[in-house]
């Protein structure tokens, strides 16, 4: 996953919607939509809820990755070999 995708997934897991995510990340809603579309395609799922369900299984890894990104690092979660 790309760093911005990690951020979008983490914020989705925290219950944030498209508008709140775009405001938090300082991007447009269309940019958030782009990341969500790319995530759905990569994961082979149809909805953002399914992305959240997938991400729930990787919450620990995503938490570490998100924290690293917030500190300015390039941390990324452990990749699922199927991606």
């Amino acid at each position: 996953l790309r760093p911005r995708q990690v951020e979008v997934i983490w914020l989705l897991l925290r219950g944030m919607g498209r508008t709140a995510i775009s405001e938090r990340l300082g991007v447009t809603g269309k940019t958030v939509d782009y990341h969500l579309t790319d995530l759905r395609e990569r994961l082979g799922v149809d909805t953002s809820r399914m992305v959240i369900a997938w991400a729930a299984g990787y919450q620990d890894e995503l938490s570490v990755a998100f924290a690293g990104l917030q500190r300015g690092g390039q941390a990324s979660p452990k990749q699922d070999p199927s991606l």
Side-chain angles (χ1 to χ4, degrees), residues 1-2 4-13 16-22 25 27-55:
L1 298 176
R2 289 184 226 127
R4 187 60 90 182
Q5 291 172 327
V6 171
E7 292 174 321
V8 169
I9 288 176
W10 183 251
L11 296 173
L12 280 172
L13 280 170
M16 296 177 84
R18 175 186 177 266
T19 302
I21 291 171
S22 68
L25 298 179
V27 298
T28 67
K30 285 187 177 187
T31 299
V32 173
D33 290 342
Y34 166 79
H35 290 300
L36 290 172
T37 298
D38 190 47
L39 284 164
R40 286 191 300 270
E41 289 174 4
R42 283 175 165 245
L43 298 175
V45 299
D46 297 324
T47 67
S48 295
R49 287 182 189 265
M50 294 171 101
V51 171
I52 293 167
W54 173 88

